[in-house]
């Protein structure tokens, strides 16, 4: 009998696949462009504490998060020498810790800049800042009306600040329909770059591009790109993959998801013809049916909308989910696949023998986008690296 796992399911991240994805991405980067790995949303659901060492193994030493919780998760996972950039909100209290750790962070308005200066003085360490400019997304970033004031503050506080970067974020680079808007944002950004030069304010790096922008607008890669979704083996959307394939003249998707999600058969049942499976009457066995019970449900992030819709892999066969996905378990029909034992591996996402369940197919079946499905995988599913 197969050895059973202690948890009801687990997630595995594949080091080699990551390396292959990274090689593909690097081919699209201009020489000398630094790659910051975006690990917000618990590393897009992959788990910060597992993903960071894996990325470090592949030579990545700059990471980006949004919030302080993610920054703390990074702090306990990262190696000495890996840099972190916090792109979102940091409270006054947390800023002290951020400065002590020497982490980089965004300045998205003048209040945050003044706060950073005050704390830098208190802590006795320079604030490592990236100044975010508003260029037309109208989310966060310093407005034109504050530009003069900004330059003044930056110029007189050199002893309290390291100007790590100047940056902006494009509003929807993955769709060609936003092209005019992106170009106008880049134009405004470059106007600011010239003005900073004139004012003698110099930044170590300029950056604007996420995955889609880095691929579709290589001229806007500047000194650094902030890459998220591609690193995990997914495309921002179908359109970006289409554009990539026609540009490179490649014929198939060169990226593979680094994530597998696995469980095991909890128990096996025989259901007589004419009986219902699980809650209610959504699935009627119309012949003698063998089902495998799998200890994963919507509480673990397996969407309830996959009831009677999803597919899982058992012994290399793709088998249907039958009945309603419960909070903590679901059933799969194994009538036609020969011998299955209690404890046999069940693949919810990933490879088994020659078969594969992709997050994309999973996403389409349950009409969720890649980003969303991944971000919903619960923190408490154990994760490990496959070397
Ligand atoms: C999420 C995010 C990124 C990375 O986006 P991907 O599409 O996953 O590459 C880059 N920059 C900012 C500001 C972001 O919020």
């Amino acid at each position: 009998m197969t050895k059973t796992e202690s948890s009801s399911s687990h997630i595995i991240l594949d080091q080699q696949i990551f390396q292959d994805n990274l090689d593909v991405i690097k081919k699209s980067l201009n020489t000398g462009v630094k790659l910051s790995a975006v690990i917000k949303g618990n590393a897009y659901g992959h788990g910060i504490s597992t993903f960071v060492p894996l990325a470090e193994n592949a030579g990545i030493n700059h990471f980006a998060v949004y919030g302080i919780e993610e920054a703390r998760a990074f702090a306990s996972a990262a190696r000495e020498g890996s840099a972190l950039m916090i792109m979102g909100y940091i409270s006054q209290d947390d800023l002290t810790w951020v400065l002590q750790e020497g982490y980089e962070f965004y300045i998205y308005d003048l209040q945050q800049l003044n706060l950073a200066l005050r704390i830098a003085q208190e802590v006795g360490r320079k604030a490592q800042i990236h100044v975010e400019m508003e260029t037309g997304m109208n989310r966060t970033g310093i407005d034109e009306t504050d530009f003069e004031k900004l330059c003044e503050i930056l110029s007189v506080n050199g002893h309290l600040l390291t100007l790590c970067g100047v940056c902006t974020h494009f509003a929807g680079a993955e769709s060609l329909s936003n092209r005019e808007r992106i170009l106008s944002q880049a134009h405004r950004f470059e106007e600011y770059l010239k003005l900073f030069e004139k004012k003698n304010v110099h930044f170590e790096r300029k950056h604007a591009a996420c995955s889609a922008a880095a691929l579709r607008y290589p001229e806007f890669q500047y000194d650094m790109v902030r890459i998220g979704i591609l690193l995990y083996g997914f495309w921002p959307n179908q359109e970006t993959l289409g554009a990539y394939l026609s540009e490179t003249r490649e014929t198939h998707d060169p990226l593979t998801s680094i994530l597998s999600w696995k469980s095991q058969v909890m128990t096996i049942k025989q259901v007589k013809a004419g009986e219902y499976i699980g809650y209610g009457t959504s699935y009627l066995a119309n012949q003698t049916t063998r089902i495998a019970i799998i200890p994963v449900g919507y509480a673990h992030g397996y969407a309830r909308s996959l009831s009677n819709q999803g597919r899982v892999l058992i012994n290399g066969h793709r088998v249907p989910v039958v009945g309603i996905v419960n909070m903590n378990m679901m059933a799969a029909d194994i009538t036609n696949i020969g011998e299955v034992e209690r404890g046999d591996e069940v693949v919810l996402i990933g490879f088994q023998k020659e078969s594969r369940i992709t997050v994309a197919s999973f996403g389409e079946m349950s009409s969720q986008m890649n980003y969303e499905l991944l971000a919903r995988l619960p923190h408490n599913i154990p994760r490990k690296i496959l070397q």
Side-chain angles (χ1 to χ4, degrees):
M1 191 172 137
T2 328
K3 185 183 159 297
T4 54
E5 297 280 342
S6 58
S7 53
S8 71
S9 74
H10 58 279
I11 285 170
I12 299 162
L13 308 185
D14 191 305
Q15 183 76 55
Q16 185 56 51
I17 296 177
F18 180 79
Q19 188 63 56
D20 297 343
N21 290 342
L22 189 58
D23 292 344
V24 170
I25 298 164
K26 282 186 172 167
K27 272 195 260 167
S28 296
L29 299 187
N30 303 326
T31 332
V33 173
K34 175 124 189 130
L35 188 156
S36 180
V38 178
I39 54 169
K40 65 189 182 192
N42 197 26
Y44 293 60
H46 291 65
I48 284 181
S49 58
T50 317
F51 181 78
V52 167
L54 173 137
E56 287 173 331
N57 290 344
I60 289 181
N61 63 6
H62 197 280
F63 295 84
V65 296
Y66 256 102
I68 203 73
E69 289 306 321
E70 298 163 335
R72 291 191 191 274
F74 171 87
S76 50
R79 287 181 199 155
E80 185 94 26
S82 285
L84 179 70
M85 175 171 83
I86 304 168
M87 304 188 289
Y89 171 75
I90 307 173
S91 74
Q92 189 165 331
D93 292 345
D94 291 325
L95 209 44
T96 304
W97 176 75
V98 169
L99 260 82
Q100 281 163 344
E101 294 294 320
Y103 291 150
E104 304 166 16
F105 58 98
Y106 273 29
I107 295 294
Y108 44 82
D109 63 21
L110 292 187
Q111 287 87 333
Q112 194 71 351
L113 179 55
N114 286 321
L115 186 62
L117 288 169
R118 212 182 74 215
I119 310 256
Q121 195 123 39
E122 271 171 32
V123 175
R125 292 195 62 166
K126 283 189 172 191
Q128 311 288 317
I129 65 169
H130 291 256
V131 175
E132 184 188 11
M133 300 308 296
E134 172 58 61
T135 60
M137 179 154 179
N138 296 312
R139 198 171 64 172
T140 46
I142 293 179
D143 290 313
E144 202 168 352
T145 46
D146 288 332
F147 185 76
E148 292 290 326
K149 187 94 187 120
L150 169 71
C151 289
E152 201 181 300
I153 302 175
L154 296 180
S155 302
V156 301
N157 288 289
H159 59 298
L160 295 172
L161 301 171
T162 305
L163 304 187
C164 299
V166 56
C167 56
T168 195
H169 187 52
F170 295 128
E174 68 281 0
S175 299
L176 194 58
S177 59
N178 297 327
R179 189 172 174 81
E180 287 310 313
R181 186 166 174 205
I182 305 298
L183 293 179
S184 132
Q185 282 193 270
H187 180 72
R188 279 168 84 173
F189 185 57
E190 290 178 10
E191 288 297 308
Y192 279 126
L193 297 182
K194 282 187 215 144
L195 289 171
F196 278 123
E197 285 299 315
K198 261 201 204 142
K199 299 262 181 194
N200 230 354
V201 175
H202 303 290
F203 297 91
E204 288 170 14
R205 289 193 189 118
K206 311 168 195 70
H207 53 102
C210 59
S211 294
L215 295 180
R216 305 197 81 166
Y217 305 90
E219 65 275 31
F220 305 145
Q221 290 177 1
Y222 304 110
D223 304 304
M224 184 166 87
V225 290
R226 307 181 302 257
I227 304 292
I229 197 87
L230 293 172
L231 285 176
Y232 305 93
F234 300 97
W235 295 85
N237 61 357
Q238 201 59 31
E239 189 185 324
T240 314
L241 169 60
Y244 177 88
L245 292 179
S246 67
E247 227 160 78
T248 57
R249 298 177 179 279
E250 285 182 42
T251 50
H252 70 282
D253 180 351
L255 300 179
T256 306
S257 164
I258 65 168
L259 176 142
S260 310
W261 185 15
K262 296 180 176 179
S263 181
Q264 61 279 313
V265 174
M266 175 177 164
T267 188
I268 295 168
K269 292 249 154 180
Q270 190 103 307
V271 181
K272 288 195 207 101
E275 297 203 349
Y276 293 104
I277 295 175
Y279 285 121
T281 54
S282 87
Y283 194 87
L284 176 68
N286 51 22
Q287 55 168 347
T288 303
T289 304
R290 259 165 72 78
I291 56 167
I293 304 295
I294 303 156
V296 172
Y298 58 81
H300 309 102
Y302 198 92
R304 203 162 179 274
S305 55
L306 290 166
S307 299
N308 288 313
Q309 297 280 322
R311 298 281 184 277
V312 300
L313 303 177
I314 299 178
N315 291 349
H317 297 278
R318 182 183 286 266
V319 295
V321 170
V322 289
I324 305 287
V325 173
N326 296 178
M327 188 186 280
N328 291 298
M329 63 177 93
M330 61 185 174
D333 184 345
I334 52 168
T335 312
N336 300 316
I337 63 165
E339 202 47 42
V340 175
E341 285 182 36
R342 210 170 167 266
D344 279 357
E345 180 187 82
V346 178
V347 170
L348 309 171
I349 297 174
F351 295 90
Q352 199 183 53
K353 298 192 179 152
E354 305 300 305
S355 304
R356 182 180 174 203
I357 306 257
T358 64
V359 174
S361 62
F362 194 97
E364 279 150 24
M365 283 189 288
S366 68
S367 36
Q368 291 180 56
M369 281 175 58
N370 288 344
Y371 292 84
E372 202 187 319
L373 181 136
L374 292 167
R376 281 217 269 206
L377 290 171
H379 290 236
N380 59 2
I381 301 178
R383 287 150 165 92
K384 56 190 173 203
I385 298 176
L386 176 68
Q387 295 287 350

